Amino acid sequence: MMKNDSIKTIALILAGGNGSRLWPLSREKMPKQFLSLTGQRTMLQETCRRLFPFIPPENQLIITGQEHYHHVIQQVETLRNEISDPKASKAFIEVMAEPFAKNTAPAIFWAARLCQQRYGDDIVLLVLPSDHLITAEKEFQYTMQRGIAKAEEGALVTFGIRPTHAETGYGYIKIKKSCDLSQSQPVAAFVEKPDQARAEEYFKSGQFLWNSGMFAFHLRVLLEEGRLWCPEVLEPFLLCDPLDRSAVKIAYSQTESKSIDYAVMEKTDKAFVIPSSFGWSDVGNWQSFFALNPKDKHGNVVFGQQVVIDCKDCLIYGEEQQTAVVGMEATAIINTSDGLLICPLNQSQRVKEVVKELKKRGSPSI
């Protein structure tokens, strides 16, 4: 199923985030979307590139924070230089800097108003995080186009990942038990991250999908539902010129900090989900990073020329310093020039506690 070319699609790539979950490799000044974790390109660059077959660069927007704006510009220019087509030099990916972070709903509404001013409201806005890994790109592209086609009908679409195991690190989307997973389905409910026991129940039931944080919105419907369900978030953007930096800053100061899930998707009756399988991971902790990488004969993932003796199922990452590990099992050892993390892989969600403690101490290593 291909999208209807009569309706324009704009991709909005969200490149905020503070980099706390992959500390000490990612930091506030260099969160994971700006790192080359899975190849030569950064995760942000890969997010943009995999859209090129159906959304050209001139129809892509990136929203990031003021502190990361120049870094994003640099990465976009590097990606531009990879493209041999001379037409690419005329128009490329646009970068927008938020005056300050206020979660996903304000960022999406600002971009929506900008698109409305330029193209009218009969377009589709495809919203994607910048820091997710996709391994089956053709399936991803096909699935996104299915979602765009559904959005063209007036739906607010999210993409739910078919779970491969019980996972406590993701939110979930509930669907009806009798649903045909090959078709888009009305969303029954959005569910917060569960504990392990509940995650097991969700996985066995077949009624729950992982919430990917990806969306396809018909612009007019998104703004209508925003007026209905979260006017306190949307209205400041309706009253400002989205191209006027001073006006946008005022709008951000007046709006409320809410996710698009909470502001609109959990309340609207126009939410549909596309059940999806395209090799997705949000690379949200060291355990998921470990799972993504090839293992040696002992089940270890080793980066760099490290000394590893009698270790099994470990993640060992070293930069400038030589790292030696002996007799460890199922452990993450992440050694950078100014930070060392050692923790069981199955507790890597707790790295955010480390970052919280470092902030409390005023450490410069965050």
Side-chain angles (χ1 to χ4, degrees):
M1 181 188 300
M2 300 297 290
K3 75 182 183 67
N4 181 351
D5 287 335
S6 66
I7 297 183
K8 192 177 190 72
T9 298
I10 299 295
L12 172 64
I13 298 165
L14 303 176
N18 59 19
S20 64
R21 295 189 293 173
L22 290 183
W23 187 90
L25 191 58
S26 66
R27 308 293 178 94
E28 287 187 348
K29 292 183 179 179
M30 188 63 70
K32 73 177 192 281
Q33 60 265 32
F34 305 133
L35 300 176
S36 303
L37 294 179
T38 57
Q40 294 300 311
R41 299 185 191 93
T42 67
M43 301 191 81
L44 171 63
Q45 290 169 331
E46 288 288 6
T47 301
C48 299
R49 181 202 56 79
R50 72 172 65 99
L51 296 173
F52 288 168
F54 64 106
I55 302 179
E58 62 268 24
N59 289 343
Q60 295 185 25
L61 299 173
I62 298 173
I63 287 189
T64 191
Q66 294 275 13
E67 67 276 19
H68 298 135
Y69 176 77
H70 293 292
H71 199 77
V72 174
I73 291 290
Q74 183 181 46
Q75 293 206 358
V76 166
E77 285 302 308
T78 300
L79 191 59
R80 181 206 289 265
N81 292 336
E82 287 187 24
I83 297 176
S84 58
D85 184 353
K87 293 181 182 178
S89 63
K90 295 179 181 178
F92 208 66
I93 301 162
E94 182 176 355
V95 183
M96 304 161 63
E98 292 184 285
F100 28 84
K102 281 213 168 176
N103 217 314
T104 56
I108 290 169
F109 285 141
W110 177 27
R113 282 283 293 120
L114 179 66
C115 292
Q116 183 187 42
Q117 181 167 297
R118 288 176 175 172
Y119 312 114
D121 56 12
D122 190 22
I123 69 167
V124 171
L125 191 64
L126 180 67
V127 181
L128 303 172
S130 61
D131 59 354
H132 290 183
L133 176 70
I134 308 295
T135 58
E137 290 198 357
K138 290 191 181 299
E139 184 63 26
F140 166 81
Q141 291 159 0
Y142 172 74
T143 303
M144 293 299 108
Q145 290 175 88
R146 285 181 59 208
I148 290 167
K150 184 66 181 178
E152 288 175 351
E153 299 173 5
L156 301 181
V157 177
T158 187
F159 298 87
I161 308 299
R162 299 178 190 180
T164 57
H165 60 276
E167 174 61 58
T168 60
Y170 302 147
Y172 284 73
I173 300 168
K174 186 178 181 182
I175 55 177
K176 294 180 181 177
K177 192 168 187 178
S178 59
C179 278
D180 177 2
L181 291 182
S182 67
Q183 302 295 324
S184 62
Q185 305 294 339
V187 172
F190 288 87
V191 183
E192 295 298 319
K193 297 176 183 178
D195 58 23
Q196 187 61 42
R198 189 153 294 179
E200 296 283 354
E201 293 176 10
Y202 291 172
F203 181 59
K204 292 175 183 176
S205 75
Q207 287 184 262
F208 293 85
L209 305 168
W210 290 336
N211 187 348
S212 71
M214 303 179 187
F215 305 94
F217 299 130
H218 188 281
L219 192 66
R220 182 177 63 251
V221 177
L222 173 64
L223 295 177
E224 288 172 351
E225 294 298 288
R227 288 187 186 97
L228 179 62
W229 298 113
C230 57
E232 72 284 356
V233 183
L234 173 60
E235 284 185 358
F237 297 99
L238 295 177
L239 299 174
C240 84
D241 178 351
L243 289 171
D244 183 328
R245 294 294 305 165
S246 298
V248 169
K249 187 172 183 179
I250 292 170
Y252 263 82
S253 70
Q254 294 173 340
T255 191
E256 293 194 12
S257 179
K258 291 184 179 179
S259 71
I260 198 67
D261 302 68
Y262 182 77
V264 175
M265 295 300 285
E266 293 180 7
K267 300 168 184 176
T268 181
D269 61 0
K270 294 178 171 59
F272 282 76
V273 60
I274 305 286
S276 309
S277 295
F278 41 70
W280 173 86
S281 172
D282 74 344
V283 200
N285 56 61
W286 287 116
Q287 187 170 34
S288 63
F289 182 75
F290 171 80
L292 294 170
N293 284 280
K295 317 295 189 295
D296 65 18
K297 64 181 180 179
H298 302 294
N300 299 310
V301 174
V302 181
F303 288 86
Q305 299 299 312
Q306 316 307 338
V307 177
V308 181
I309 300 172
D310 292 335
C311 292
K312 181 181 177 184
D313 301 331
C314 288
L315 170 61
I316 302 163
Y317 180 98
E319 288 184 344
E320 299 172 7
Q321 302 177 72
Q322 181 77 70
T323 303
V325 186
V326 180
M328 302 296 287
E329 185 170 342
T331 301
I333 300 99
I334 314 298
N335 192 9
T336 68
S337 60
D338 63 346
L340 170 64
L341 171 72
I342 303 171
C343 76
L345 277 167
N346 64 6
Q347 294 193 45
S348 56
Q349 294 273 9
R350 300 185 64 189
V351 170
K352 60 188 178 183
E353 297 175 32
V354 175
V355 174
K356 184 177 180 180
E357 179 63 26
L358 290 172
K359 284 184 178 180
K360 189 188 299 183
R361 299 182 182 188
S363 170
S365 64
I366 58 170

